[in-house]
Amino acid sequence: LTNKWDPLGLVQSGHPDNEYDCLTDKIYSMLNKKVSDQEIVRIIAVEFKDHFGCEVKQESIKKFVSTLSFIKV
């Protein structure tokens, strides 16, 4: 899912498919723990800043998180 979203264009520009794996594990863990969407958005934003050294627009993250509702248990 994070590769399809590809907010930094890494996969599209030919980087390895595992570029966002650091996010995928955290996202699935948060979904399993029933973390709120707001908190997931916040944590993803922090992860992009800390891990990738850049910021992703909050609206982009919110839109992505809203597509994850089908995964929640």
Side-chain angles (χ1 to χ4, degrees):
L1 294 171
T2 49
N3 284 355
K4 186 174 180 180
W5 175 37
D6 196 18
L8 302 178
L10 298 175
V11 176
Q12 182 181 1
S13 66
H15 289 266
D17 287 344
N18 66 352
E19 287 294 328
Y20 298 116
D21 282 359
C22 61
L23 286 172
T24 304
D25 292 340
K26 286 184 181 189
I27 291 168
Y28 281 124
S29 175
M30 289 186 286
L31 292 173
N32 284 329
K33 294 177 183 176
K34 299 184 186 328
V35 173
S36 72
D37 286 358
Q38 287 178 301
E39 184 66 4
I40 294 172
V41 168
R42 187 191 71 74
I43 291 170
I44 290 173
V46 168
E47 186 67 26
F48 271 105
K49 187 171 184 177
D50 291 350
H51 185 82
F52 294 100
C54 61
E55 294 185 19
V56 174
K57 293 181 181 181
Q58 288 284 315
E59 286 305 312
S60 177
I61 299 172
K62 287 179 185 177
K63 185 175 179 181
F64 170 70
V65 169
S66 73
T67 67
L68 302 175
S69 62
F70 73 94
I71 296 174
K72 295 183 180 181
V73 283

